[in-house]
Amino acid sequence: MSAERERRELLRATAERIVADLPVWDGVSPKLLVTFTDPETQTRIGHWFVPATAVPQPQAKTPPSGRARRLHIVPDAS
């Protein structure tokens, strides 16, 4: 397995662990789209819907990567 592929699989596994700690979206309540992006390549690692009430409030400090976290509100198409 290439080092790049292994790195991407580790990132995906980390993203899945983070989302696993959040409640599952019920398909009815307000939802948020949680997207994880590879910090090196800026490609999407994965995305999940979670209940809007389950998402922790953003912290005021900048994460160790030095990049600010962003929350994008996407209108529901239904």
mmCIF file of all heavy atoms in Angstrom, residues 44-64:
data_model
loop_
_atom_site.group_PDB
_atom_site.id
_atom_site.type_symbol
_atom_site.label_atom_id
_atom_site.label_comp_id
_atom_site.label_asym_id
_atom_site.label_seq_id
_atom_site.Cartn_x
_atom_site.Cartn_y
_atom_site.Cartn_z
ATOM 1 N N ARG A 44 -12.104 16.175 -0.309
ATOM 2 C CA ARG A 44 -13.047 15.698 0.700
ATOM 3 C C ARG A 44 -12.705 14.275 1.117
ATOM 4 O O ARG A 44 -12.523 13.395 0.289
ATOM 5 C CB ARG A 44 -14.469 15.742 0.157
ATOM 6 C CG ARG A 44 -15.494 15.406 1.223
ATOM 7 C CD ARG A 44 -16.884 15.326 0.722
ATOM 8 N NE ARG A 44 -17.255 16.533 -0.006
ATOM 9 C CZ ARG A 44 -18.480 16.794 -0.410
ATOM 10 N NH1 ARG A 44 -19.436 15.949 -0.187
ATOM 11 N NH2 ARG A 44 -18.739 17.900 -1.055
ATOM 12 N N ILE A 45 -12.656 14.070 2.428
ATOM 13 C CA ILE A 45 -12.425 12.738 2.989
ATOM 14 C C ILE A 45 -13.750 12.015 3.130
ATOM 15 O O ILE A 45 -13.860 10.831 2.847
ATOM 16 C CB ILE A 45 -11.732 12.846 4.357
ATOM 17 C CG1 ILE A 45 -10.351 13.475 4.200
ATOM 18 C CG2 ILE A 45 -11.644 11.491 5.036
ATOM 19 C CD1 ILE A 45 -9.723 13.882 5.510
ATOM 20 N N GLY A 46 -14.762 12.734 3.587
ATOM 21 C CA GLY A 46 -16.085 12.146 3.772
ATOM 22 C C GLY A 46 -17.047 13.190 4.274
ATOM 23 O O GLY A 46 -16.647 14.288 4.653
ATOM 24 N N HIS A 47 -18.337 12.831 4.264
ATOM 25 C CA HIS A 47 -19.357 13.740 4.778
ATOM 26 C C HIS A 47 -20.506 12.933 5.357
ATOM 27 O O HIS A 47 -20.779 11.828 4.916
ATOM 28 C CB HIS A 47 -19.852 14.702 3.698
ATOM 29 C CG HIS A 47 -20.580 14.029 2.574
ATOM 30 N ND1 HIS A 47 -19.927 13.447 1.523
ATOM 31 C CD2 HIS A 47 -21.889 13.836 2.362
ATOM 32 C CE1 HIS A 47 -20.828 12.922 0.700
ATOM 33 N NE2 HIS A 47 -22.022 13.146 1.190
ATOM 34 N N TRP A 48 -21.148 13.527 6.388
ATOM 35 C CA TRP A 48 -22.235 12.897 7.105
ATOM 36 C C TRP A 48 -23.237 13.955 7.533
ATOM 37 O O TRP A 48 -22.863 15.106 7.771
ATOM 38 C CB TRP A 48 -21.717 12.205 8.370
ATOM 39 C CG TRP A 48 -20.776 11.086 8.112
ATOM 40 C CD1 TRP A 48 -21.091 9.755 8.041
ATOM 41 C CD2 TRP A 48 -19.370 11.161 7.900
ATOM 42 N NE1 TRP A 48 -19.970 9.012 7.794
ATOM 43 C CE2 TRP A 48 -18.886 9.854 7.697
ATOM 44 C CE3 TRP A 48 -18.457 12.203 7.843
ATOM 45 C CZ2 TRP A 48 -17.554 9.559 7.463
ATOM 46 C CZ3 TRP A 48 -17.126 11.916 7.598
ATOM 47 C CH2 TRP A 48 -16.691 10.612 7.412
ATOM 48 N N PHE A 49 -24.514 13.574 7.666
ATOM 49 C CA PHE A 49 -25.520 14.448 8.253
ATOM 50 C C PHE A 49 -25.664 14.082 9.724
ATOM 51 O O PHE A 49 -25.670 12.904 10.077
ATOM 52 C CB PHE A 49 -26.886 14.271 7.572
ATOM 53 C CG PHE A 49 -26.950 14.916 6.230
ATOM 54 C CD1 PHE A 49 -26.988 14.153 5.080
ATOM 55 C CD2 PHE A 49 -26.979 16.301 6.113
ATOM 56 C CE1 PHE A 49 -27.049 14.751 3.833
ATOM 57 C CE2 PHE A 49 -27.036 16.910 4.874
ATOM 58 C CZ PHE A 49 -27.074 16.131 3.729
ATOM 59 N N VAL A 50 -25.754 15.100 10.575
ATOM 60 C CA VAL A 50 -25.970 14.897 12.006
ATOM 61 C C VAL A 50 -27.069 15.856 12.452
ATOM 62 O O VAL A 50 -27.296 16.886 11.809
ATOM 63 C CB VAL A 50 -24.690 15.129 12.836
ATOM 64 C CG1 VAL A 50 -23.613 14.136 12.458
ATOM 65 C CG2 VAL A 50 -24.186 16.548 12.697
ATOM 66 N N PRO A 51 -27.761 15.542 13.554
ATOM 67 C CA PRO A 51 -28.777 16.474 14.052
ATOM 68 C C PRO A 51 -28.122 17.809 14.425
ATOM 69 O O PRO A 51 -27.031 17.835 14.984
ATOM 70 C CB PRO A 51 -29.331 15.791 15.295
ATOM 71 C CG PRO A 51 -28.903 14.368 15.202
ATOM 72 C CD PRO A 51 -27.677 14.330 14.357
ATOM 73 N N ALA A 52 -28.787 18.898 14.103
ATOM 74 C CA ALA A 52 -28.232 20.221 14.385
ATOM 75 C C ALA A 52 -27.986 20.428 15.868
ATOM 76 O O ALA A 52 -27.062 21.135 16.255
ATOM 77 C CB ALA A 52 -29.161 21.297 13.845
ATOM 78 N N THR A 53 -28.772 19.811 16.713
ATOM 79 C CA THR A 53 -28.603 19.977 18.157
ATOM 80 C C THR A 53 -27.432 19.181 18.696
ATOM 81 O O THR A 53 -27.025 19.387 19.830
ATOM 82 C CB THR A 53 -29.877 19.525 18.892
ATOM 83 O OG1 THR A 53 -30.151 18.163 18.552
ATOM 84 C CG2 THR A 53 -31.048 20.408 18.534
ATOM 85 N N ALA A 54 -26.853 18.282 17.907
ATOM 86 C CA ALA A 54 -25.776 17.420 18.388
ATOM 87 C C ALA A 54 -24.399 18.026 18.189
ATOM 88 O O ALA A 54 -23.435 17.551 18.759
ATOM 89 C CB ALA A 54 -25.830 16.076 17.663
ATOM 90 N N VAL A 55 -24.300 19.059 17.388
ATOM 91 C CA VAL A 55 -22.997 19.606 17.042
ATOM 92 C C VAL A 55 -22.503 20.521 18.167
ATOM 93 O O VAL A 55 -23.214 21.421 18.593
ATOM 94 C CB VAL A 55 -23.075 20.382 15.713
ATOM 95 C CG1 VAL A 55 -21.744 21.008 15.373
ATOM 96 C CG2 VAL A 55 -23.528 19.445 14.617
ATOM 97 N N PRO A 56 -21.271 20.277 18.651
ATOM 98 C CA PRO A 56 -20.747 21.128 19.719
ATOM 99 C C PRO A 56 -20.524 22.553 19.218
ATOM 100 O O PRO A 56 -20.314 22.774 18.031
ATOM 101 C CB PRO A 56 -19.419 20.466 20.081
ATOM 102 C CG PRO A 56 -19.112 19.518 18.996
ATOM 103 C CD PRO A 56 -20.372 19.238 18.247
ATOM 104 N N GLN A 57 -20.577 23.504 20.131
ATOM 105 C CA GLN A 57 -20.350 24.901 19.780
ATOM 106 C C GLN A 57 -18.885 25.093 19.395
ATOM 107 O O GLN A 57 -17.998 24.509 20.011
ATOM 108 C CB GLN A 57 -20.702 25.804 20.964
ATOM 109 C CG GLN A 57 -22.159 25.735 21.352
ATOM 110 C CD GLN A 57 -23.063 26.170 20.205
ATOM 111 O OE1 GLN A 57 -22.814 27.185 19.578
ATOM 112 N NE2 GLN A 57 -24.082 25.400 19.926
ATOM 113 N N PRO A 58 -18.619 25.936 18.385
ATOM 114 C CA PRO A 58 -17.232 26.165 17.984
ATOM 115 C C PRO A 58 -16.451 26.858 19.101
ATOM 116 O O PRO A 58 -17.002 27.666 19.836
ATOM 117 C CB PRO A 58 -17.357 27.058 16.754
ATOM 118 C CG PRO A 58 -18.745 27.552 16.736
ATOM 119 C CD PRO A 58 -19.579 26.664 17.591
ATOM 120 N N GLN A 59 -15.186 26.524 19.183
ATOM 121 C CA GLN A 59 -14.330 27.131 20.186
ATOM 122 C C GLN A 59 -13.756 28.435 19.642
ATOM 123 O O GLN A 59 -13.576 28.599 18.442
ATOM 124 C CB GLN A 59 -13.194 26.185 20.552
ATOM 125 C CG GLN A 59 -13.697 24.892 21.158
ATOM 126 C CD GLN A 59 -12.563 23.936 21.458
ATOM 127 O OE1 GLN A 59 -11.404 24.257 21.244
ATOM 128 N NE2 GLN A 59 -12.897 22.763 21.933
ATOM 129 N N ALA A 60 -13.437 29.335 20.523
ATOM 130 C CA ALA A 60 -12.931 30.642 20.118
ATOM 131 C C ALA A 60 -11.473 30.571 19.673
ATOM 132 O O ALA A 60 -11.042 31.357 18.859
ATOM 133 C CB ALA A 60 -13.076 31.626 21.266
ATOM 134 N N LYS A 61 -10.707 29.617 20.167
ATOM 135 C CA LYS A 61 -9.290 29.581 19.818
ATOM 136 C C LYS A 61 -9.063 28.880 18.475
ATOM 137 O O LYS A 61 -9.873 28.083 18.028
ATOM 138 C CB LYS A 61 -8.484 28.894 20.911
ATOM 139 C CG LYS A 61 -8.774 27.428 21.074
ATOM 140 C CD LYS A 61 -7.905 26.844 22.151
ATOM 141 C CE LYS A 61 -8.014 25.320 22.108
ATOM 142 N NZ LYS A 61 -7.076 24.677 22.967
ATOM 143 N N THR A 62 -7.947 29.185 17.860
ATOM 144 C CA THR A 62 -7.570 28.576 16.586
ATOM 145 C C THR A 62 -7.019 27.181 16.847
ATOM 146 O O THR A 62 -6.235 26.995 17.780
ATOM 147 C CB THR A 62 -6.503 29.444 15.883
ATOM 148 O OG1 THR A 62 -7.026 30.753 15.738
ATOM 149 C CG2 THR A 62 -6.128 28.879 14.536
ATOM 150 N N PRO A 63 -7.398 26.180 16.024
ATOM 151 C CA PRO A 63 -6.886 24.824 16.228
ATOM 152 C C PRO A 63 -5.374 24.762 16.008
ATOM 153 O O PRO A 63 -4.799 25.676 15.409
ATOM 154 C CB PRO A 63 -7.631 23.990 15.188
ATOM 155 C CG PRO A 63 -8.352 24.941 14.319
ATOM 156 C CD PRO A 63 -8.336 26.283 14.938
ATOM 157 N N PRO A 64 -4.707 23.684 16.467
ATOM 158 C CA PRO A 64 -3.253 23.562 16.343
ATOM 159 C C PRO A 64 -2.751 23.685 14.902
ATOM 160 O O PRO A 64 -1.626 24.093 14.679
ATOM 161 C CB PRO A 64 -2.946 22.172 16.900
ATOM 162 C CG PRO A 64 -4.122 21.823 17.733
ATOM 163 C CD PRO A 64 -5.292 22.566 17.173
#
